[in-house]
Amino acid sequence: MYNSKITGLGYFVPENVVTNNDLKEFMDTSDEWIQERTGIKERRWIGPKTGENTSTMGVKAAKIAIERAGLTKDDIDFIVFATLSPDMYFPGGGVRVQDMLDMPTIGALDVRNQCSGFIYAMSVADQFIKTGMYKNILVIGSENHSGGLEKSTRGRNVSVIFGDGAGAAILSRSEEEGKGILSSHLHSEGKHARELMLEGPSTGRWVPEIMEANDPDDVSYFPYMNGQFVFKHAVTRFSEAIVEGLQANNLQKEDIDMLIPHQANLRIAQFIQKKFRLSDDNVYNNIMNYGNTTAASVIIALTEAWEKGKIKDNDLVVLAAFGSGFTWGSVIIRW
């Protein structure tokens, strides 16, 4: 069985910066209120009339990752695209990327695991490579949240949190033992699905019904989050996923060189850091600059940490995420 190794990383975020003070123009909030609860100072939202979307951002991140891997688009065997915000209800973003990059007719798989999307996508790609089916897989996490947020006081608890952006990784076959992805660990608990969700439109309440009702108070097509409930579960499941990954590889928390947590809330990341007694140099957070970019958050943070020289050869890197579903998981990597 082969090993899979990250050979290229890239990310893209829109130029349009939206600060907490900017949000005060259309909702009752404040910079202090947002930072105290989330740690977020600003986020990127796709600007008007830019033509940017989930797929185009994924393509821009992918081009950087492919080049850094020393490959061309024709060397990619398969695409795994993670998002909760595809350009259209169907088809998904994977085939859009295949077309925009003018790739051969390779397979393209979409992963819909929201905040855990990139962790799930990496696990899927890892299995394809380890079994010998593919040599180089493009894994993308991309989100366009700003187009679907309720930008008003009524929706502020959710809309202040989320940002737009994309990241990409090239996972390649390697025969070097003990390097690359050591293991991945995935979980779900669907009984809590309604605590963090976007209900409509759905086949249970399809577009004609929504249009006929024409109800200005219908919030089913905006994201809903039970914040305190999600927080309590997140800190528990984050810890469990990290411990599970370490135990599977006979490692201790002291062996962690870099933890890249999903950027859901800075308070969650700080809680996990304290619990595992990790220093500031052993955890990378960038939620203050980008907000929660859901499936893109882990890969954007991983790429930034690597670009800044915070990840070195032979480092033990742990990726972990928790989100809607509920779903959660971890990936353990020897760099």
Side-chain angles (χ1 to χ4, degrees), residues 1 21 33 75 103 148 162 184 200-201 233 236 248 252 256 265 324:
M1 186 173 286
N21 286 326
W33 187 87
D75 295 316
M103 289 175 156
F162 293 97
S184 57
H233 279 73
T236 299
Q252 306 296 321
I256 298 175
N265 185 309
S324 174

Side-chain angles (χ1 to χ4, degrees), residues 199-258:
E199 187 172 11
S202 70
T203 53
R205 187 169 182 270
W206 205 221
V207 175
E209 185 180 345
I210 294 174
M211 293 178 66
E212 184 178 358
N214 194 26
D215 181 2
D217 295 322
D218 181 6
V219 296
S220 66
Y221 42 82
F222 290 121
Y224 166 78
M225 178 172 63
N226 183 343
Q228 290 186 340
F229 190 88
V230 172
F231 187 100
K232 290 177 181 178
H233 279 73
V235 294
T236 299
R237 299 308 191 185
F238 259 108
S239 300
E240 290 177 355
I242 294 168
V243 169
E244 181 183 16
L246 293 174
Q247 290 179 345
N249 295 282
N250 297 314
L251 297 166
Q252 306 296 321
K253 60 186 179 182
E254 292 80 15
D255 295 316
I256 298 175
D257 295 299
M258 179 57 68

Side-chain angles (χ1 to χ4, degrees), residues 61-111:
K63 287 181 177 178
I64 297 169
I66 291 170
E67 181 180 357
R68 286 174 169 172
L71 302 173
T72 71
K73 63 180 180 62
D74 295 332
D75 295 316
I76 303 300
D77 304 315
F78 195 69
I79 301 166
V80 186
F81 193 101
T83 187
L84 65 73
S85 54
D87 303 334
M88 54 194 80
Y89 198 85
F90 66 86
V95 296
R96 300 262 289 156
V97 168
Q98 181 273 333
D99 176 49
M100 291 179 189
L101 287 176
D102 191 28
M103 289 175 156
T105 56
I106 59 174
L109 172 69
D110 286 77
V111 172

Side-chain angles (χ1 to χ4, degrees), residues 267-284:
R267 308 304 165 225
I268 295 175
Q270 290 171 335
F271 183 94
I272 299 302
Q273 177 178 346
K274 184 177 180 180
K275 182 171 183 176
F276 284 84
R277 299 179 182 177
L278 298 173
S279 72
D280 290 343
D281 291 332
N282 297 128
V283 182
Y284 190 80

